[in-house]
Amino acid sequence: MSTDKSSSHISQRYDDELSGVKSQLFEMGGIVEKQVKDAIQSLLDIDSRIAEHVVKDDTTINDMEVAVDEDCALILARRQPAASDLRLVLTIIKTTTDLERIGDEARKIANQAIMLAEEGPAPSGYVEVRHIGHSVSTMLSQALDSLVRQDVNLALEVAKKDKAVDLEYGTAVREMMTYMMEDPRSISRVMGIMWSLRALERIGDHARNIAEHVIYLVKGDDVRHVGIKQMAKAISDDD
Amino acid sequence: MSMNESNHSLSSNASEYSTTTGQIEVENPKMSMRNVDVSYGDKQAIFNVNLDIAKNEVISMIGPSGCGKSTFLRCLNRMNDTIESCKVSGDLLLEGQDIYDPKLDVVPLRARVGMVFQKPNPFPKSIYDNVAYGPHIHGLANTKFELDEIVEKSLKKAGLWDEVKDRLDQPGTGLSGGQQQRLCIARTIAVSPEVILMDEPCSALDPIATARIEELIDELSANYTIAIVTHSMQQAARVSHRTAYFHLGYLVEIGSTDDIFTNPSHKLTEAYITGRFG
């Protein structure tokens, strides 16, 4: 059952409060999505100007997390939400945490970009960044879409992609180690890329968390720490 | 320290709650109460309560049974006058005017400060007459047309018009409990009050009727000042802007409802709203 399909509450203000936190969350999602794209771009183009923007805008995300959580706490205290409303508020609180962490990871990537820009020519490993970066930004966009549309099938796609990203990350780490062994002088720069890849992989994990929250929101089933198969089963169950 | 221990030590010592925590003053108060004491015969029910009520705010008063919240509310339009043994002292001002001034006529006061009671109490008259009675005796309408208008407007504001417009001549007592309570609210609104006092307005109603009254309170707060006494803390949390917590006749804490229900300052308030005593 979707909270959007359900009719409105008798209390107009309650409706306003819920849609208020929802739209704040979506706005926060949009900003985080852009932060991640910009961070990847700044790393690929070694553009410290974009990177500095990403670092600076992270405080906006932090402020939004606090604001959304505060509003959710008030809704819990004042309305005692039940059933789908309760799941919505819990989902929002959890999702803000993941979004804020994604923001932190984007800031880390941007910081690496700034450092690499100071060090000169592009190190090896950009192919991996481009590839994993693309997968991860797609995952994040899809996770946010699945949240807005309460689309559990799309959420499942995100979880599946996370598995693939984890594998790609493992491969990329081995590649980086080869680069470092081949040319020890490049170690510090390749390490910069490694940290960025690590941050991307973490962003993928957070996107998967968001997708799991969506399944909980819509289906009421907690699908954290279960395999894809069980997740798919939870989605197909009609309840 | 366990909550039980703290309750025990708290409730035995009046000095821990005899001064009010929180901001009692507001700018341009609609009503302002200072040093209010109330006793029934020898028994004192309210001790030195100081509180301002702001214009167009919804203020709720909560607290365990016998804490004096209803007694205090009833002072605000001199409803306690009807109880022989009841003595009220202190300053109680409505827009700066002493409402306990012996020269003041209490009838127009109660039109300015209306009251809705726990049990819906419509007059044994038609729906129309229930609402029209007040404006009629207060001379608020000169013609039948004006009176009709007041009745319609009041019923609309109370969210009852659509349900009763085709049967205005039928007895008010024939309505459902929730409808009767909204009829009583319409009756109160009909005399254009400035303040509406509500004493447990939903305690006799089912959850849906309660939700409708609460929604109504929210709408009415645009034009009226509302003071509500409720046993349901959740209701206080839902409808009010500020919440006052009473305990054994003292006003223990007053604060914004958001603060009271997320981070109260006084441990008694905390204990009460978290369901640890009361």
Side-chain angles (χ1 to χ4, degrees):
Chain A
M1 196 207 84
S2 122
T3 42
D4 281 330
K5 275 183 240 156
S6 60
S7 55
S8 52
H9 296 93
I10 295 171
S11 167
Q12 173 68 39
R13 193 166 295 250
Y14 187 12
D15 278 336
D16 294 347
E17 287 167 4
L18 284 177
S19 56
V21 282
K22 255 200 289 189
S23 57
Q24 278 186 78
L25 181 76
F26 296 161
E27 191 191 339
M28 185 179 174
I31 295 174
V32 169
E33 201 179 350
K34 184 172 180 301
Q35 287 280 87
V36 171
K37 287 209 167 100
D38 286 353
I40 296 169
Q41 204 57 48
S42 73
L43 188 62
L44 291 174
D45 298 349
I46 322 193
D47 186 336
S48 57
R49 204 177 45 86
I50 301 181
E52 263 151 22
H53 267 292
V54 173
V55 173
K56 204 168 85 326
D57 289 352
D58 190 42
T59 53
T60 314
I61 298 172
N62 296 346
D63 294 346
M64 290 185 92
E65 183 199 22
V66 174
V68 174
D69 280 358
E70 203 173 279
D71 286 355
C72 286
L74 289 182
I75 293 176
L76 290 174
R78 298 189 70 137
R79 306 285 174 187
Q80 302 86 44
S84 61
D85 295 332
L86 178 62
R87 295 203 304 276
L88 176 67
V89 175
L90 292 175
T91 298
I92 291 174
I93 292 172
K94 283 163 170 287
T95 305
T96 54
T97 308
D98 280 308
L99 286 176
E100 192 273 332
R101 296 300 300 275
I102 292 174
D104 287 350
E105 300 295 342
R107 194 193 57 215
K108 283 183 201 166
I109 296 171
N111 276 328
Q112 294 299 337
I114 293 169
M115 268 154 59
L116 288 168
E118 283 164 4
E119 286 184 17
S124 316
Y126 273 33
V127 182
E128 285 80 358
V129 170
R130 188 181 297 278
H131 188 66
I132 295 183
H134 178 72
S135 305
V136 167
S137 355
T138 312
M139 272 179 76
L140 178 58
S141 304
Q142 286 180 338
L144 291 169
D145 275 357
S146 75
L147 180 67
V148 175
R149 302 208 297 260
Q150 307 209 351
D151 181 342
V152 285
N153 292 309
L154 189 57
L156 183 66
E157 285 307 306
V158 174
K160 282 180 185 162
K161 268 210 182 91
D162 185 45
K163 283 224 128 169
V165 167
D166 287 353
L167 288 175
E168 282 170 27
Y169 171 68
T171 315
V173 167
R174 281 192 295 278
E175 290 269 331
M176 296 300 124
M177 284 184 343
T178 321
Y179 291 142
M180 288 189 277
M181 281 186 283
E182 279 171 359
D183 180 7
R185 283 170 305 172
S186 73
I187 284 181
S188 87
R189 273 176 298 157
V190 177
M191 281 302 285
I193 297 293
M194 278 258 271
W195 288 122
S196 304
L197 287 171
R198 168 82 187 141
L200 287 173
E201 190 268 336
R202 293 295 301 148
I203 293 174
D205 291 345
H206 289 299
R208 181 192 164 127
N209 289 350
I210 294 173
E212 288 168 352
H213 303 330
V214 172
I215 294 173
Y216 170 71
L217 170 63
V218 178
K219 289 289 179 180
D221 287 322
D222 195 332
V223 292
R224 290 173 299 177
H225 321 298
V226 304
I228 297 287
K229 251 191 206 154
Q230 237 175 304
M231 221 185 241
K233 192 175 166 291
I235 289 173
S236 57
D237 280 350
D238 283 327
D239 56 299
Chain B
M1 178 173 65
S2 90
M3 257 312 163
N4 283 337
E5 271 170 22
S6 71
N7 293 344
H8 199 73
S9 59
L10 281 168
S11 1
S12 53
N13 191 354
S15 69
E16 295 203 27
Y17 50 82
S18 54
T19 33
T20 304
T21 306
Q23 178 90 19
I24 53 165
E25 300 96 359
V26 298
E27 259 180 64
N28 302 322
K30 184 78 197 172
M31 296 193 80
S32 184
M33 279 63 66
R34 289 293 178 274
N35 312 110
V36 177
D37 288 318
V38 183
S39 30
Y40 297 105
D42 297 338
K43 194 177 174 325
Q44 191 164 353
I46 297 274
F47 298 86
N48 193 32
V49 168
N50 296 282
L51 184 64
D52 283 352
I53 298 179
K55 194 165 186 285
N56 291 8
E57 83 167 330
V58 180
I59 184 167
S60 59
M61 296 162 194
I62 59 169
S65 295
C67 69
K69 54 191 190 295
S70 288
T71 300
F72 183 70
L73 188 80
R74 295 164 66 90
C75 292
L76 303 183
N77 72 345
R78 292 181 57 174
M79 220 33 118
N80 286 334
D81 287 12
T82 54
I83 302 168
E84 193 86 17
S85 64
C86 181
K87 270 207 184 66
V88 179
S89 68
D91 299 323
L92 294 96
L93 309 178
L94 173 61
E95 300 218 302
Q97 185 187 9
D98 180 8
I99 60 173
Y100 278 83
D101 185 338
K103 280 175 280 180
L104 185 102
D105 184 358
V106 74
V107 175
L109 169 71
R110 288 188 190 142
R112 289 177 71 190
V113 184
M115 193 154 194
V116 177
F117 297 88
Q118 179 169 4
K119 260 185 85 186
N121 54 353
F123 303 134
K125 288 168 174 284
S126 72
I127 294 170
Y128 182 95
D129 288 340
N130 259 282
V131 183
Y133 183 73
H136 182 66
I137 59 159
H138 286 288
L140 298 178
N142 294 321
T143 62
K144 173 83 168 79
F145 177 74
E146 276 177 24
L147 197 58
D148 285 353
E149 244 183 358
I150 293 178
V151 169
E152 180 174 340
K153 225 170 84 185
S154 308
L155 284 169
K156 274 184 174 157
K157 275 193 191 158
L160 193 60
W161 176 250
D162 288 337
E163 291 159 61
V164 301
K165 61 175 184 234
D166 301 325
R167 45 172 172 151
L168 292 173
D169 54 342
Q170 287 176 25
T173 45
L175 296 170
S176 75
Q179 289 172 327
Q180 286 187 20
Q181 194 63 307
R182 276 181 280 145
L183 179 62
C184 293
I185 292 173
R187 186 176 70 188
T188 309
I189 298 170
V191 294
S192 306
E194 296 156 48
V195 181
I196 303 174
L197 309 177
M198 297 187 174
D199 192 355
E200 309 260 5
C202 300
S203 61
L205 306 181
D206 70 78
I208 300 298
T210 299
R212 299 204 57 168
I213 300 281
E214 288 176 2
E215 176 66 0
L216 179 58
I217 290 171
D218 200 41
E219 286 164 13
L220 292 176
S221 71
N223 302 311
Y224 305 94
T225 301
I226 298 171
I228 176 170
V229 159
T230 172
H231 261 129
S232 155
M233 301 175 249
Q234 283 72 27
Q235 179 164 66
R238 288 189 296 262
V239 301
S240 64
H241 306 132
R242 286 197 306 155
T243 298
Y245 173 64
F246 284 77
H247 182 81
L248 295 173
Y250 292 91
L251 173 57
V252 175
E253 183 169 355
I254 168 78
S256 83
T257 300
D258 289 348
D259 287 343
I260 295 277
F261 283 90
T262 54
N263 188 15
S265 299
H266 200 285
K267 7 185 200 172
L268 271 176
T269 318
E270 166 99 24
Y272 180 68
I273 64 166
T274 53
R276 287 183 163 81
F277 86 83

